[in-house]
Amino acid sequence: MAKYKFLIFVYLISVISYSVANFLGIDVQILYRVPFIGIRWIDVAILVVAGSYFYSLTRTYDLIKNNSLIISWCFIYLLFESFQLLRSWQATDTAWQISGFLCTLSFFILIDLSTFKIIEDKIIVFLKNLTLWGSIVLIISNVYLFYSFISGNVIFTDLDIRVAIDVIGAKETVSTVVLTPFVYAFSLYFIKNEIKLWKKVVYIAAILSIYVSLVITFQRGNLFTIILLTIIYIAMFSRKPYQAFSKLFGMGLLICIFYFLFGNTLRQKGYDPIEKIVETVQFSMDVNNPDWEKGRSIPIEYAVLAWKKNLLIGVGYNDLYHYGLPVGMGAAHNFVIASLFQRGIIGTGIYLLILFILFGNSIKFWSILRREESYQND
């Protein structure tokens, strides 16, 4: 598990680097990249996992059986992406191409986890530690964003409503789009099952910081993800009505604590929590609003036009600016469209097939855990 601990350490440090760079007034790329080499630390961690996989193949006593399907498709996908890199080499900035391909190599994480057995207790300990340290990182990031918001050291994007901090060299950021729902879901679970009080406090603080960020960042995706995870948590971990009621009461208590601690300050800044959450939901549903898609339809149109000229394999490691998109506009903010643009029908199909297999395996694994839990309770 050492390689995964290193990977998570690098990822969490990269997440917090955004706030640190703003606080110190330095280029965030200094923190993102290895000195003198220029490669990103997160890329180094991915390469470590990939290299470790081939080294570990010399051991055959701890291999997992019956996972050949997903492993095979992952290797097919990596071969396809290698071909895409070669055919589009130097079509755009080579540093961007290399970084993109190194991110693709993160599929070795899935291959490695599908190949070698890991003791269940080690997985549980790893998830607990990741939730704890991920909570601490989110608390620091969200608290710093809130402090910047209160002090006026922020910028406003998307209709002058979404709060963000301005960071030098922020051409790329290590997003919390995965970390936030992960921490939220596992914090809800561990609050009840954790024995140590200080860890419970950390989990509660992380959840409260997520609530604050939902109000001031106006992230529709994050809001609905949090709502969905809350519903899943209550439904899946409540065998009896009183358990569901206790969880609803606990969630209500957390929201009341959040409103009591931050409501007045947010209202003074024009961000009443209730009004902003309602506004976010209404804005998400008002598809007739001319600002609803925030100008994203333009790059999507360019991406679709470019894909139609390369239906099967897309354009490879290239960008929309070479296909007529005006400079300064963002990429196609749609996974399927962006994937079709770069990978075409073949690459996107393989990618979605891997996700489908992974989802099916996850359902099977969840069913096994639930049965084991039932046997233990009986």
Side-chain angles (χ1 to χ4, degrees):
M1 296 293 288
K3 56 191 172 187
Y4 292 112
K5 291 178 181 178
F6 176 63
L7 176 66
I8 293 303
F9 173 77
V10 171
Y11 169 69
L12 294 179
I13 292 297
S14 298
V15 169
I16 208 171
S17 294
Y18 205 70
S19 300
V20 173
N22 177 270
F23 178 75
L24 298 177
I26 62 175
D27 191 328
V28 71
Q29 297 298 324
I30 296 175
L31 304 177
Y32 278 167
R33 299 181 181 274
V34 180
F36 308 111
I37 300 177
I39 188 174
R40 297 178 302 182
W41 282 106
I42 194 69
D43 295 332
V44 173
I46 292 172
L47 289 173
V48 167
V49 174
S52 174
Y53 170 78
F54 290 106
Y55 173 78
S56 299
L57 285 178
T58 58
R59 300 175 299 164
T60 58
Y61 57 87
D62 55 356
L63 298 180
I64 300 176
K65 299 179 180 179
N66 303 323
N67 271 347
S68 58
L69 181 62
I70 191 170
I71 294 172
S72 298
W73 279 111
C74 283
F75 273 116
I76 291 172
Y77 178 75
L78 289 173
L79 287 173
F80 176 82
E81 286 293 298
S82 300
F83 166 74
Q84 293 288 76
L85 178 64
L86 289 174
R87 65 181 282 260
S88 58
W89 182 247
Q90 293 186 336
T92 186
D93 179 46
T94 54
W96 177 84
Q97 290 181 313
I98 293 172
S99 294
F101 183 72
L102 288 175
C103 286
T104 301
L105 291 181
S106 61
F107 267 73
F108 270 106
I109 298 173
L110 182 55
I111 294 172
D112 185 80
L113 292 174
S114 300
T115 304
F116 304 106
K117 294 178 181 178
I118 301 177
I119 300 174
E120 184 177 319
D121 290 343
K122 288 186 177 181
I123 297 177
I124 295 174
V125 171
F126 179 81
L127 289 175
K128 285 184 176 180
N129 289 333
L130 176 55
T131 304
L132 179 63
W133 288 106
S135 297
I136 293 173
V137 166
L138 269 187
I139 290 169
I140 295 173
S141 298
N142 290 336
V143 167
Y144 184 76
L145 177 63
F146 180 68
Y147 166 77
S148 301
F149 172 66
I150 299 302
S151 62
N153 184 31
V154 293
I155 58 175
F156 294 88
T157 61
D158 289 346
L159 311 178
D160 293 330
I161 193 171
R162 180 175 293 176
V163 176
I165 56 177
D166 191 17
V167 177
I168 302 172
K171 60 182 179 180
E172 55 186 355
T173 59
V174 180
S175 175
T176 60
V177 68
V178 175
L179 182 64
T180 296
F182 175 87
V183 167
Y184 182 78
F186 278 93
S187 291
L188 287 177
Y189 178 78
F190 287 133
I191 284 175
K192 176 183 177 181
N193 296 278
E194 181 57 56
I195 299 176
K196 296 182 179 178
L197 178 61
W198 71 271
K199 290 186 178 180
K200 288 180 180 286
V201 172
V202 170
Y203 297 141
I204 292 174
I207 292 174
L208 294 179
S209 76
I210 290 172
Y211 289 163
V212 172
S213 70
L214 288 177
V215 174
I216 63 178
T217 59
F218 204 72
Q219 295 281 358
R220 293 175 291 183
N222 280 352
L223 174 60
F224 284 104
T225 300
I226 294 303
I227 293 174
L228 179 61
L229 287 174
T230 303
I231 294 173
I232 292 174
Y233 169 71
I234 294 174
M236 297 298 292
F237 293 95
S238 302
R239 293 179 176 274
K240 298 179 180 179
Y242 78 87
Q243 293 177 325
F245 176 79
S246 66
K247 289 180 174 60
L248 284 171
F249 178 79
M251 295 298 304
L253 182 61
L254 282 174
I255 294 173
C256 289
I257 293 174
F258 153 72
Y259 198 83
F260 175 77
L261 292 176
F262 304 102
N264 187 51
T265 303
L266 289 169
R267 281 196 302 273
Q268 291 177 357
K269 286 288 185 176
Y271 277 70
D272 181 272
I274 296 177
E275 291 180 1
K276 282 301 174 187
I277 294 298
V278 172
E279 183 181 346
T280 303
V281 174
Q282 291 175 340
F283 183 75
S284 301
M285 297 180 176
D286 186 11
V287 295
N288 294 320
N289 188 325
D291 295 318
W292 185 83
E293 45 84 25
K294 302 177 183 178
R296 293 167 180 167
S297 61
I298 297 176
I300 287 176
E301 289 177 5
Y302 277 91
V304 170
L305 288 174
W307 166 59
K308 287 181 178 179
K309 298 177 182 178
N310 306 270
L311 283 173
L312 293 180
I313 58 176
V315 303
Y317 284 78
N318 208 330
D319 58 54
L320 281 172
Y321 300 114
H322 292 121
Y323 291 86
L325 183 69
V327 176
M329 297 201 69
H333 198 82
N334 181 297
F335 164 74
V336 175
I337 298 299
S339 181
L340 288 171
F341 168 70
Q342 292 188 324
R343 305 178 183 94
I345 295 174
I346 295 176
T348 302
I350 297 172
Y351 193 102
L352 294 176
L353 177 61
I354 292 172
L355 291 181
F356 179 77
I357 296 172
L358 184 62
F359 179 75
N361 290 345
S362 300
I363 295 298
K364 293 177 182 177
F365 181 67
W366 174 257
S367 300
I368 292 172
L369 289 179
R370 295 290 287 179
R371 284 199 300 267
E372 290 182 354
E373 183 180 351
S374 298
Y375 294 150
Q376 292 174 357
N377 292 335
D378 293 341

